[in-house]
Amino acid sequence: MKLPPRVTDRAFARLAEIAENAGQDQVLRIAVSGGGCSGFQYEITLDAPAEDDLVLAAKGQQVVIDPVSLPFLDNAVIDFTEELIGARFVIENPNAASSCGCGISFSM
């Protein structure tokens, strides 16, 4: 069963902090493209929504995913983590057969 990606409260909270610091709303775009050390890679950017994007919204914030990337992200969880090595948005993707150490690249 295919389920849309889910965004955690922690990720929406961090996006709200980014928007507050920037003084304007920020939309987080999650995309998948070919490349990286494992075959596919995530692209996580601040962007504007496009007409055909899936929009995941909560707490006044939006995360968007384009229709080409969406099948790669079925049932994935978009989160935000803070560790000793830094803070970043992360994607827990049950469709990935393997991923590299950086968490940006994956294979299916």
Side-chain angles (χ1 to χ4, degrees), residues 3-71:
L3 297 172
R6 183 177 63 81
V7 182
T8 66
D9 289 341
R10 186 173 38 217
F12 278 125
R14 178 60 181 138
L15 190 54
E17 289 175 12
I18 292 169
E20 183 178 327
N21 291 338
Q24 63 181 351
D25 287 342
Q26 301 287 313
V27 175
L28 186 71
R29 176 171 296 282
I30 307 294
V32 174
S33 64
C37 54
S38 296
F40 295 100
Q41 63 187 2
Y42 299 114
E43 295 176 6
I44 302 172
T45 59
L46 296 174
D47 198 3
E51 186 176 311
D52 56 351
D53 284 340
L54 170 69
V55 178
L56 305 167
K59 300 184 179 191
Q61 305 304 312
Q62 294 182 334
V63 174
V64 296
I65 302 168
D66 66 89
V68 173
S69 300
L70 194 55

